[in-house]
Amino acid sequence: MNENTAKTVSKFLSLVLRHSPEKIGLKLDENGWADVEELILKCSQKGNKLDKVLLDYVVENNDKKRFAYNEDETKIRASQGHSISVELNLAETEPSEYLYHGTVGKFMENIQKEGLKKMSRQHVHLSKDKETAIKVGSRRGVPQILTVRSGEMYRDGFKFYSSENNVWLTDEVPVRYIQF
């Protein structure tokens, strides 16, 4: 399998399954699931060649496990990161004492004033380890790694969820819980 093709397909799937399903006329249910056959058909109709073999490869080999099938592989959805309203039905979970957030320098001043906000997404994304946070921060430049006192937040009543691909999600992280 050509890695460039897989990467291109992964980016396109992120667009239609997380942000803009209407770009190809795709319908997502309230939980973000799309019918696999409809996805393949709509992609092909818009000039984005996709078949089940390529889709299987992208789902299985995406380094961040961004996509998941239902049990019988008739539906697919993005694991998290939606800017459209979907209900992922994630159970509230107690986090470890510390989680991490990768960002870049240009956002630091704002974070120091306002904390971490979900912005256009449904949740703030946190990582269980610094290595993953470094990868996330590196996508936009030189990474800045923030340590979040997630255990303390949880004890103070903040809710945390762990997505299917082990990304930690919360609604916000106030400045007082961030170690810069």
Side-chain angles (χ1 to χ4, degrees):
M1 181 68 55
N2 180 326
E3 284 303 314
N4 287 334
T5 300
K7 189 172 186 175
T8 299
V9 169
S10 178
K11 286 183 178 187
F12 185 74
L13 289 176
S14 288
L15 173 69
V16 299
L17 295 177
R18 294 166 74 182
H19 309 295
S20 301
E22 72 279 0
K23 289 248 187 231
I24 61 169
L26 184 67
K27 299 284 187 219
L28 304 182
D29 71 15
E30 66 276 1
N31 302 119
W33 293 105
D35 181 85
V36 170
E37 288 182 15
E38 180 186 2
L39 173 66
I40 291 170
L41 176 67
K42 300 277 181 158
C43 283
S44 297
Q45 288 174 342
K46 294 292 183 179
N48 295 291
K49 185 168 170 38
L50 182 65
D51 59 29
K52 184 69 164 65
V53 173
L54 180 53
L55 191 59
D56 287 347
Y57 182 85
V58 170
V59 169
E60 183 63 33
N61 294 290
N62 183 274
D63 63 339
K64 294 184 180 157
K65 300 294 181 199
R66 283 192 169 103
F67 314 105
Y69 283 126
N70 65 347
E71 284 188 26
D72 65 1
E73 296 189 3
T74 59
K75 295 184 177 187
I76 187 172
R77 74 175 178 187
S79 298
Q80 90 285 319
H82 299 83
S83 61
I84 56 175
S85 181
V86 298
E87 178 51 60
L88 296 175
N89 292 324
L90 300 173
E92 185 178 338
T93 306
E94 184 174 355
S96 59
E97 199 60 31
Y98 298 98
L99 293 172
Y100 305 92
H101 182 79
T103 189
V104 291
K106 69 180 180 178
F107 299 125
M108 291 299 288
E109 184 179 338
N110 203 38
I111 293 170
Q112 289 170 335
K113 288 179 186 173
E114 299 181 19
L116 294 170
K117 305 283 187 187
K118 56 187 170 182
M119 308 306 278
S120 64
R121 294 188 177 187
Q122 287 190 298
H123 297 97
V124 172
H125 294 196
L126 302 170
S127 304
K128 64 182 177 180
D129 56 65
K130 287 181 182 177
E131 293 76 23
T132 303
I134 289 169
K135 284 182 191 176
V136 171
S138 296
R139 291 186 315 206
R140 292 190 172 151
V142 178
Q144 301 285 315
I145 307 307
L146 307 175
T147 300
V148 174
R149 292 191 307 278
S150 45
E152 182 181 343
M153 280 182 67
Y154 183 78
R155 289 187 294 278
D156 287 348
F158 288 85
K159 294 180 180 183
F160 286 83
Y161 310 90
S162 181
S163 68
E164 293 175 31
N165 60 343
N166 298 314
V167 173
W168 282 89
L169 308 169
T170 192
D171 287 335
E172 66 174 321
V173 180
V175 175
R176 68 183 177 273
Y177 296 105
I178 302 172
Q179 293 174 230
F180 294 92

